[in-house]
Amino acid sequence: MTPARVTIDIVTIFPGFFTGPFEHGILRRAQQTGLVKVAIHDLRQFTADRHRTVDDRPFGGEEGMVLKPEPLFRAVEHIQQQGRPRGQVILLSAQGKLFRQPLAAEFAKEESLVLLCGRYEGVDERVSKHLADEELSIGDFVLSGGELAAAVVVDAVVRLLPGALGNEASAVRESFAPFAHPREPREPKIGLLDCPHYTRPAVFREMAVPEALVSGDHQRIAQWRRREALKKTWRNRPDLLAQVPLDEEQQQWLAEIQKEEEP
Ligand SMILES: C[S@@+](CC[C@H](N)C(=O)[O-])C[C@H]1O[C@@H](n2cnc3c(N)ncnc32)[C@H](O)[C@@H]1O
């Protein structure tokens, strides 16, 4: 088999955690077809003591335990000695920068990613400062460990690898699809939400599919989709609208939508 297009190494104290999430759908297929290789590393294998200790009490006398730096440094050094290209090393952390679609698209261009999963009170800060290239959060909430966050990053990145989606969908039309803003083309911005989707039956419990979608008029359907995407973004994520340059038609729709939705 040809070498995988991208290798993702995950370092965790719970290697068994990942047996489920990567064995379905797009992720499973991407591994089977050699687009991606996911390697899970047990942090305890990189400890040097009899008890395979990965954590210790925090300096300063707070509650809880902190993941020690030595096993994490050793794990990354071990991974980097495998002859893989030096890719991004990412520490999953509630204190990190927000992981968003433009970054997922950037990661999809890398040949190698290393994801470090924290636990307990977190990870010795020297890992963030001197080992990781990025400290990333998947949202403004606190998880019990970095494993779920790592799985989220893997999923979001792998589905953007060319060939991963097959015929199932196109990432171009999806929510948050990054675009180059004319004023800052080098820093991709995050796009609007996707439009709503419907399937058969056309009427379900007296709830009918919007008329435009069953009209057969492709131009009308495209227009409906663009307007509904705008409406959904305005309702659910008005923050996204602030950075998207709307064309004249969209500006007019937005004014109409705001009027329609006035209390
Ligand atoms: C209980 S959390 C530590 C929370 C930390 N004391 C704080 O308040 O920021 C344990 C681990 O879960 C992971 N984690 C928690 N929330 C996360 C988030 N929003 N994004 C990414 N990783 C997260 C990190 O790896 C973290 O080290």
Side-chain angles (χ1 to χ4, degrees), residues 12-23:
T12 170
I13 60 165
F14 294 128
F17 186 95
F18 295 97
T19 37
F22 299 156
E23 287 173 9

Side-chain angles (χ1 to χ4, degrees), residues 82-100:
Q82 312 272 301
R84 310 214 214 299
R86 170 82 171 77
Q88 297 266 333
V89 178
I90 296 143
L91 172 66
L92 283 316
S93 159
Q95 299 151 30
K97 284 189 211 151
L98 262 192
F99 178 63
R100 305 179 96 200

